[in-house]
Amino acid sequence: MVDKVEKIWLDGSFVNWDDAKVHVLTHTLHYGLGVFEGIRCYKLGSGKSAIFRLREHVERLFDSAHICTMKLEQSPEQVAQACLETVRVNRLEECYLRPLAFLGDGAMGLGATENRTHLTVVAWKWGAYLGDEGLKKGIRAKVSSFTRPGVNAVMAKGKVVGHYVNSILAKREAMAAGYQEAIMLDGQGYVCEASGENIFMVKKGRIYTPALGAAILGGITRDSVMTLCQELGLPVVERPITRDELYIADEIFMCGTAAELTPVREIDDRTIGAGSRGAITVKVLKRYFEAGRGEGKAYPEWLSVV
Ligand code: PMP
C-alpha cells in the first residue's frame, strides 16, 4: 500500500489526497492513452533534497505526449515546478514522483479528441522496488514467454499507460513462477529490457546493453549509468544481445528510476557469474547512489534542489 501524503497536484493546484478523484468514464482508464513518468528525489549530504534528473524526465513526458498526439496544457517549466512544489508541500525528504497526463471524461470511443488532458503529480515514499535483499544479493529473473511488441507495434520510446499491460503480464508470470523480474525479448529473440528496467550485461570487463534502436524505453537511469561508466573508465557497447549471452555473462544488472541499480544473480535457473553481486556492478551501483545524493564527482545539472 502506498502511504498517503497530504497533497496531490492536479491541473494547476493542490488538492487533498482523498479528493484527487476521477470519473469512471475517464478516457485513459478505458483505452490506455496516457503518459507518465517515475522520478526519484533524494536527500543530499547537505541536508537538502534534490529531484534526480528532473529536466530529462519532464522532457521525456513531453516526448511521450508528442508520440501519442496528446497536448499538455502546461509548459515543461510548469510541470517541473509542480514536481518541486509537490515535494515541498508534503515536506518529503526522499520520495518517488509520478507525473501522469491522462484524457478525462466527456466523449467515449477511440476517435474522441476533445476530452481534456489532465495532469497530476503524486509523491509517495518508495523503498527499493525490487527489495532491499535484491539490491544486496541480486535477484532471480526469468525470460518472459510474452514478447516485447515490435518497434512499429507500440511506440516503446514513449512511457505510455497502455504499454504496461505487456509488462504486467510478464511480471505476473515471472512472480507466479517464483522469480522477481521478467526479461522481455523482441519478436526475433533479442533481449530488450525487463518489465520496468533497462538491462546491462558485463562480459570480460566490457559492459553491453541493447541500443536505443531496440524496442526499449530510453531509460534515464540507463543514460546516467552510461555516463558514470565513462567516468569510471568502463567501456559500454550498445548492440543486440541474445538470450544465451545473458546466461554466460559475468554479471548482469537492471536499472530504472524505481529499481535503481539491481544486480541479477540468476536467469532461468542458471547462475550468472559467481551468483552474487559482481565487482563491476557494485562499482557502478555505488557511483549511481552517490550521484543521486550529490556525492563524488558532481553532475549539478542532474540535481534540482527542492
Ligand atoms: N524500461 C521500462 C519498460 C520502464 O518502465 C522503465 C522505468 N521507467 C525503464 C525501462 C527505466 O527507465 P528510467 O531509468 O527512465 O526510469
Side-chain angles (χ1 to χ4, degrees):
M1 285 281 277
V2 170
D3 284 334
K4 280 187 196 179
V5 299
E6 212 174 306
K7 301 280 184 190
I8 288 176
W9 191 96
L10 181 62
D11 294 326
S13 54
F14 283 102
V15 296
N16 290 330
W17 178 278
D18 288 327
D19 297 331
K21 294 191 174 131
V22 295
H23 195 272
V24 291
L25 284 189
T26 294
H27 195 278
T28 302
L29 207 52
H30 295 251
Y31 307 116
L33 192 78
V35 297
F36 67 107
E37 273 305 317
I39 316 175
R40 275 197 190 264
C41 174
Y42 292 109
K43 189 173 175 191
L44 307 178
S46 65
K48 291 185 175 153
S49 296
I51 300 181
F52 189 60
R53 305 207 66 177
L54 176 60
R55 200 161 37 103
E56 291 80 1
H57 282 285
V58 170
E59 193 176 300
R60 189 172 65 188
L61 182 75
F62 278 79
D63 284 348
S64 299
H66 180 69
I67 289 170
C68 290
T69 66
M70 286 173 69
K71 185 144 177 42
L72 305 194
E73 291 177 3
Q74 298 76 11
S75 66
E77 181 52 31
Q78 285 170 321
V79 176
Q81 283 306 323
C83 291
L84 289 160
E85 279 296 311
T86 302
V87 180
R88 266 182 223 133
V89 162
N90 290 298
R91 297 179 298 280
L92 292 160
E93 286 190 323
E94 298 211 331
C95 63
Y96 182 84
L97 281 156
R98 167 56 51 79
L100 166 74
F102 60 97
L103 302 181
D105 58 305
M108 288 303 281
L110 304 187
T113 53
E114 299 302 317
N115 295 15
R116 183 171 177 192
T117 303
H118 296 278
L119 182 74
T120 185
V121 179
V122 191
W124 66 87
K125 287 187 188 162
W126 211 358
Y129 176 71
L130 293 168
D132 285 324
E133 188 163 312
L135 273 183
K136 287 195 198 99
K137 294 194 176 153
I139 60 159
R140 297 177 63 238
K142 175 190 188 308
V143 171
S144 184
S145 73
F146 294 98
T147 301
R148 184 57 99 206
V151 285
N152 197 33
V154 294
M155 304 291 107
K157 293 298 167 289
K159 196 163 165 61
V160 178
V161 174
H163 288 4
Y164 283 83
V165 173
N166 179 248
S167 281
I168 291 175
L169 291 177
K171 178 92 178 174
R172 286 187 170 194
E173 177 190 59
M175 286 169 55
Y179 303 85
Q180 284 119 314
E181 189 49 293
I183 295 171
M184 318 282 307
L185 310 181
D186 68 15
Q188 292 176 301
Y190 290 101
V191 175
C192 287
E193 58 187 341
S195 69
E197 300 87 29
N198 290 112
I199 191 162
F200 285 75
M201 152 185 120
V202 182
K203 185 74 179 175
K204 297 192 194 308
R206 261 179 200 278
I207 306 178
Y208 299 87
T209 195
L212 288 179
I216 61 169
L217 186 70
I220 291 162
T221 318
R222 174 186 183 278
D223 182 75
S224 306
V225 162
M226 289 174 71
T227 302
L228 296 172
C229 284
Q230 201 170 17
E231 177 199 314
L232 294 167
L234 301 165
V236 180
V237 181
E238 296 176 82
R239 67 150 174 83
I241 295 173
T242 60
R243 179 176 184 163
D244 50 2
E245 280 187 292
L246 295 183
Y247 294 160
I248 57 172
D250 298 327
E251 302 177 27
I252 289 176
F253 62 86
M254 293 174 177
C255 70
T257 300
E260 299 167 305
L261 219 135
T262 302
V264 179
R265 66 180 156 91
E266 207 181 291
I267 295 177
D268 293 346
D269 308 309
R270 289 148 178 94
T271 302
I272 305 304
S276 57
R277 303 203 304 186
I280 291 180
T281 301
V282 170
K283 228 176 181 177
V284 182
L285 184 150
K286 237 179 112 246
R287 264 312 281 142
Y288 181 73
F289 281 96
E290 282 174 7
R293 291 174 171 81
E295 294 159 11
K297 181 176 184 277
Y299 295 91
E301 67 281 14
W302 287 1
L303 304 173
S304 296
V305 176
V306 176

